[in-house]
Amino acid sequence: MAGAYLDTRLKGRDYLSISDFSGEEIRLLLDAAHDLKKELKAGIPHPVLKGKTLGMIFTKASTRTRVSFEVGMFQLGGYALFLSAQDIQLRRGETVGDTARTLERYLDGIMIRTFDQADVEDLARYGSIPVINGLTDLLHPTQALADIMTVEEHKGKLSGLKLAFIGDGNNVAHSLLQICAKVGMHMTIACPPGYEPDPEILAGARVDAAATGVKLEVVTDPFEAVAGADGLYTDVWASMGQEAERAERLKDFSRYQVNAELLGKAAPGAVVLHCLPAHRGEEITDEVLDGPQSVAFDEAENRLHAHKAIMALVM
Ligand code: CP
Ligand code: NVA
């Protein structure tokens, strides 16, 4: 057992937003994720969280996040409990604060997927154990770490690369803006008017981008965004909680599909990323998602390694 995941500098920290971490800390998380992946492939056990427990609260659906955290905790020697918000007292009106003050008596960490970023922050504020944000309406920071890890694996570097995000300026786009700025990647988002990323998130990320010397841009033309891009990223047009807007969004986003024509305008050898689940035939075609440039399923796998890195370092 040897690797960056044994580092103790992040012990006790919450993982609520990429913006809470410095570029060096993101580097440490990435190194830990790469090391854990190598060890897993080599059959080297790494039970660094032996005897520890993670509670996983979900008020939204999940395939990847749930399974990768649960399996990841098992591989780290610990135990993970799935806490459906349908079944715990939070749903019946117990406050987030009382939930935090209770759960910290049993658990060593909490991962939560929910709607409001403020609930995740409250859980962290009222409890003393590390809280990991497994997606809110605003952010998806565990996803962004796995995404960047995947780009680094396929491109051999991060600094100076360009990512084009085609679609909604949503939670996934926000965390990507923040992480690209920290690791020195240019990022251009192409979205229809009215679907731009949150101006505060963009402004915050631009402070980091100025320090690393990269550009973060928002445009309306997908072809402009993909010019020279080393990575193309897309996500569903209607996120969880936006089901009622689906028909309207399908119309508004119709020009924003990642298809062979658009991919053809990116840099040669550009990789295609998607956080998944995909709505095939909407934001991305089968041809591209199943094509040779797609790394979406490596990206899904890397959620496991990235989540293990987060847990090993903060718990
Ligand atoms: N990408 C992602 O978070 O997937 P799940 O919703 O399946 O967890
Ligand atoms: N933006 C999507 C991501 C799902 C992983 C959503 O919030 O539904």
Side-chain angles (χ1 to χ4, degrees):
M1 232 174 31
Y5 62 88
L6 296 171
D7 195 288
T8 55
R9 278 173 289 175
L10 298 181
K11 285 283 172 233
R13 290 273 296 274
D14 298 308
Y15 189 90
L16 306 183
S17 168
I18 296 294
S19 62
D20 298 337
F21 293 88
S22 67
E24 293 87 82
E25 289 169 339
I26 298 290
R27 185 67 259 161
L28 174 60
L29 284 154
L30 284 170
D31 288 344
H34 288 302
D35 288 348
L36 285 162
K37 182 168 183 173
K38 275 189 219 116
E39 288 199 0
L40 186 71
K41 303 280 177 195
I44 303 168
H46 34 245
V48 288
L49 296 183
K50 194 163 187 294
K52 299 217 169 165
T53 48
L54 176 80
M56 308 189 298
I57 303 175
F58 283 91
T59 73
K60 288 177 173 174
S62 171
T63 298
R64 280 143 287 269
T65 306
R66 180 196 169 167
V67 177
S68 58
F69 267 100
E70 193 165 332
V71 169
M73 196 54 178
F74 173 73
Q75 292 177 358
L76 291 170
Y79 181 73
L81 300 82
F82 176 68
L83 303 167
S84 161
Q86 291 301 323
D87 305 322
I88 59 175
Q89 296 287 5
L90 194 60
R91 181 171 162 261
R92 294 183 56 249
E94 185 166 25
T95 66
V96 172
D98 288 348
T99 303
R101 284 185 283 253
T102 302
L103 290 179
E104 71 177 10
R105 304 292 178 111
Y106 312 124
L107 301 170
D108 301 291
I110 298 174
M111 193 278 289
I112 177 167
R113 163 170 290 195
T114 193
F115 294 85
D116 195 347
Q117 177 74 15
D119 284 343
V120 177
E121 285 169 11
D122 282 348
L123 201 59
R125 185 173 314 118
Y126 291 115
S128 57
I129 55 175
V131 172
I132 299 168
N133 179 356
L135 178 146
T136 61
D137 291 345
L138 190 68
L139 299 172
H140 198 359
T142 63
Q143 178 74 52
L145 188 67
D147 297 341
I148 291 306
M149 176 188 180
T150 310
V151 172
E152 191 166 53
E153 262 177 4
H154 285 271
K155 292 285 167 194
K157 64 171 187 175
L158 293 173
S159 179
L161 295 180
K162 177 185 169 183
L163 184 69
F165 183 99
I166 312 300
D168 191 15
N170 63 12
N171 45 8
V172 170
H174 289 157
S175 289
L176 283 170
L177 279 170
Q178 293 179 332
I179 207 161
C180 282
K182 299 272 185 194
V183 303
M185 279 176 67
H186 305 283
M187 180 168 166
T188 303
I189 298 186
C191 55
Y195 294 98
E196 294 87 359
D198 179 283
E200 256 182 63
I201 300 266
L202 183 62
R206 278 184 170 151
V207 173
D208 287 325
T212 53
V214 294
K215 270 207 250 167
L216 304 179
E217 293 179 298
V218 180
V219 300
T220 52
D221 179 6
F223 287 93
E224 184 185 343
V226 303
D230 306 287
L232 257 64
Y233 202 116
T234 190
D235 182 16
V236 291
W237 292 336
S239 284
M240 289 181 276
Q242 297 172 335
E243 289 76 11
E245 297 169 30
R246 192 172 141 73
E248 192 185 334
R249 283 171 170 264
L250 275 179
K251 270 191 275 149
D252 293 345
F253 283 96
S254 60
R255 284 199 314 121
Y256 292 80
Q257 186 185 64
V258 173
N259 51 34
E261 188 195 359
L262 191 66
L263 179 57
K265 300 287 190 274
V271 290
V272 176
L273 298 116
H274 193 309
C275 56
L276 306 175
H279 283 165
R280 288 168 175 265
E282 292 180 16
E283 78 275 2
I284 193 162
T285 58
D286 286 334
E287 186 186 11
V288 170
L289 188 56
D290 299 330
Q293 287 170 263
S294 170
V295 296
F297 292 94
D298 289 345
E299 186 185 356
E301 175 188 331
N302 285 340
R303 302 290 303 285
L304 171 70
H305 312 298
H307 298 168
K308 285 169 71 181
I310 296 167
M311 292 190 285
L313 290 174
V314 306
M315 287 178 66

